[in-house]
Amino acid sequence: MTAAGAATTALAPVLTGCGADTPGGDTRLKLVAADYGDKEANSSRKYWEGLVREFQKQHSKIKVDVEVYSWTEVDKRVADMVAKGKAPDLAQIGAYADFAAAGKLYSADQMLSIPTQADIIASLAKAGEVHRVQYGIPFVSSTRLLFFNKKLFAKAGIAKAPENWDEIQSAAKKLHAIGVKIPFGLPLGPEEAPAETMMWMLSAGGGYTDQNGSYLIDSPENVKAFTWLRDEMVGQGLTGPGNPARTNRQEVFDAFCKGEVGMLNGHPTLMQQAQAGHIEFDMAPLPGIKGPSKSTMGVADWIMAFKKNGHRDEIGTFLDFIFSKDNVLSFTTQYKLLPVTTSAADAMEESRANSDLWQFLKPLRQAAELYPVSKTSWASVSKTVKEKIGAAVQKGGDPAAVLGEIQREANATELADRSDR
């Protein structure tokens, strides 16, 4: 999943040049970027066009051509370019680890100025490391909070947002009693199963990996989380009539925006969708077993630079410009995402206009945990989670067995990746 967490429509790509150096000695960079809009009117193409215009006013010898593709195709586009020996200079996509492991990327310290490197939020910079060297540069980020429908809560006599698992179940039962279709939305379908899974793992004190970065998917904490979901939520009819294993995140978001969902875990873009649906909602930290979860899930999208064309200095100049405070704020505020630099995060916290993002920003800087994206095996493990985790919460499902199977496949994939290296 992307930081925006939204499936975008397939907009036509923007092709603005060939990416080769010009005869007059100017350097021409090629950037391939993902589109965070869902229609032409809010395509992020417009952001890049404006950014490039401003950049070239200051750096006339560096030309930048941009291609923008929807999230459904951008990763594959870049992979195909690389496979054909035509890697772009820069790619702003969802994952970097495979390219880094193959030795195709510049490291961050080879490109970024020291002030820019120092400004990137430390936890995000660390998540961009492969073998303790940073190759992935976070572009935007987001975290997750518990969303709840204020009108439905008031009607059901629920005085405050749940802070622990028992309170989640109690609130869900009250919502169910007044006829709410989906007391708690639990999307474990393919669209966002890895994210929903990670949130429940973290709420139990677990996670995908241990402190050393080794997979620990079948830990007692993780088994406890999915056993509780199976017995105390799904088994009690508190997650709605649909099968969580086949329920996608956007389906639950759409239902929330129609007033059919009492509560669910959501990311910042849900705010805009709920407001458009005229839903009165509020947000709270994700509940844990005995109190608010000690950590929440963070997601980052990445920008990376390929060595292929040898434009290291020019790439660094452009990246320093991209990560200036004002440019970071311009993009993140437009798409209701979180900044990845300390200077932009500080500015966002000081701006009343962005107060709706403050609750999301706090955990990003304090306790957010990201997917293990530095592992080249993660893409395969994530796919396995999508395919299998829903079975853990179904009637008769065995969470320990399901998580154990995912763990074994993760170990095998990790071992194979190490052998390839």
Side-chain angles (χ1 to χ4, degrees):
M1 287 303 298
T2 71
T8 56
T9 56
L11 302 174
V14 179
L15 306 175
T16 58
C18 63
D21 291 347
T22 63
D26 294 348
T27 299
R28 187 173 291 277
L29 302 178
K30 179 176 179 178
L31 164 67
V32 178
D35 200 329
Y36 289 77
D38 59 1
K39 52 186 176 293
E40 182 62 29
N42 68 354
S43 170
S44 48
R45 166 180 55 83
K46 295 179 180 179
Y47 169 82
W48 287 112
E49 288 177 345
L51 187 77
V52 168
R53 279 196 302 271
E54 291 303 313
F55 174 75
Q56 290 181 170
K57 287 178 184 178
Q58 301 176 29
H59 304 278
S60 60
K61 293 292 185 180
I62 305 175
K63 311 300 181 185
V64 183
D65 299 332
V66 183
E67 298 182 12
V68 176
Y69 297 96
S70 72
W71 272 110
T72 58
E73 60 178 333
V74 68
D75 283 26
K76 185 177 186 304
R77 289 274 186 173
V78 172
D80 288 346
M81 291 175 191
V82 174
K84 293 175 182 177
K86 297 180 179 180
D89 295 284
L90 288 155
Q92 186 273 297
I93 53 179
Y96 64 86
D98 285 347
F99 299 127
K104 296 182 181 297
L105 302 181
Y106 287 118
S107 62
D109 63 359
Q110 289 178 308
M111 302 175 294
L112 301 179
S113 67
I114 292 175
T116 299
Q117 287 187 72
D119 198 23
I120 294 175
I121 293 172
S123 60
L124 297 177
K126 185 173 179 59
E129 294 180 357
V130 174
H131 303 309
R132 300 187 180 180
V133 177
Q134 185 185 356
Y135 295 97
I137 304 169
F139 179 66
V140 291
S141 61
S142 71
T143 57
R144 301 296 195 263
L145 292 173
L146 179 74
F147 282 68
F148 59 95
N149 185 310
K150 292 172 67 175
K151 281 190 174 180
L152 294 180
F153 266 47
K155 185 178 179 181
I158 306 167
K160 63 182 182 66
E163 295 184 355
N164 57 54
W165 289 1
D166 286 344
E167 291 180 1
I168 286 178
Q169 188 192 48
S170 174
K173 286 181 176 179
K174 292 178 180 179
L175 291 164
H176 186 267
I178 64 168
V180 174
K181 182 178 180 181
I182 305 174
F184 191 100
L186 186 66
L188 291 174
E191 185 182 353
E192 195 167 54
E196 191 72 21
T197 296
M198 185 172 178
M199 282 183 273
W200 286 101
M201 287 177 170
L202 292 175
S203 75
Y208 281 117
T209 59
D210 61 20
Q211 292 182 340
N212 297 318
S214 299
Y215 285 116
L216 203 62
I217 295 168
D218 60 349
S219 69
E221 293 84 358
N222 295 342
V223 172
K224 183 174 184 177
F226 282 87
T227 301
W228 184 83
L229 284 172
R230 181 196 64 187
D231 296 342
E232 307 301 333
M233 295 297 290
V234 179
Q236 301 290 324
L238 301 177
T239 57
N243 180 352
R246 297 191 182 95
T247 302
N248 283 324
R249 184 236 348 120
Q250 194 57 51
E251 295 173 46
V252 179
F253 277 20
D254 290 345
F256 184 79
C257 297
K258 295 176 183 176
E260 298 174 350
V261 179
M263 50 186 164
L264 76 168
N265 298 328
H267 50 65
T269 57
L270 179 56
M271 293 189 296
Q272 291 177 313
Q273 296 176 43
Q275 288 162 358
H278 306 290
I279 299 298
E280 293 184 24
F281 67 93
D282 206 344
M283 300 167 293
L286 297 181
I289 296 178
K290 298 298 183 183
S293 180
K294 294 181 180 179
S295 60
T296 188
M297 189 187 78
V299 177
D301 300 332
W302 305 92
I303 192 164
M304 62 215 69
F306 290 86
K307 298 177 182 178
K308 175 69 177 177
N309 301 317
H311 296 147
R312 186 183 72 176
D313 292 342
E314 294 84 357
I315 290 169
T317 300
F318 186 48
L319 285 173
D320 283 341
F321 184 78
I322 289 173
F323 287 101
S324 69
K325 180 184 70 175
D326 290 343
N327 287 333
V328 172
L329 279 174
S330 174
F331 192 89
T332 53
T333 55
Q334 179 180 350
Y335 292 102
K336 292 297 182 183
L337 294 167
L338 302 181
V340 298
T341 61
T342 299
S343 60
D346 288 345
M348 182 174 279
E349 286 183 333
E350 294 169 0
S351 170
R352 276 277 166 200
N354 295 311
S355 60
D356 55 350
L357 288 168
W358 290 351
Q359 280 184 272
F360 292 95
L361 188 58
K362 184 178 179 180
L364 177 71
R365 305 181 76 168
Q366 294 182 350
E369 295 193 25
L370 281 73
Y371 292 134
V373 289
S374 62
K375 289 177 168 290
T376 56
S377 59
W378 170 243
S380 177
V381 173
S382 176
K383 182 174 181 291
T384 302
V385 172
K386 291 179 181 182
E387 294 170 348
K388 298 186 175 181
I389 193 63
V393 300
Q394 293 180 359
K395 183 178 181 180
D398 186 339
V402 172
L403 292 169
E405 184 177 358
I406 298 172
Q407 174 72 39
R408 287 190 294 276
E409 292 195 22
N411 289 341
T413 304
E414 182 81 345
L415 184 61
D417 285 351
R418 289 177 182 172
S419 298
D420 289 342
R421 293 197 298 266

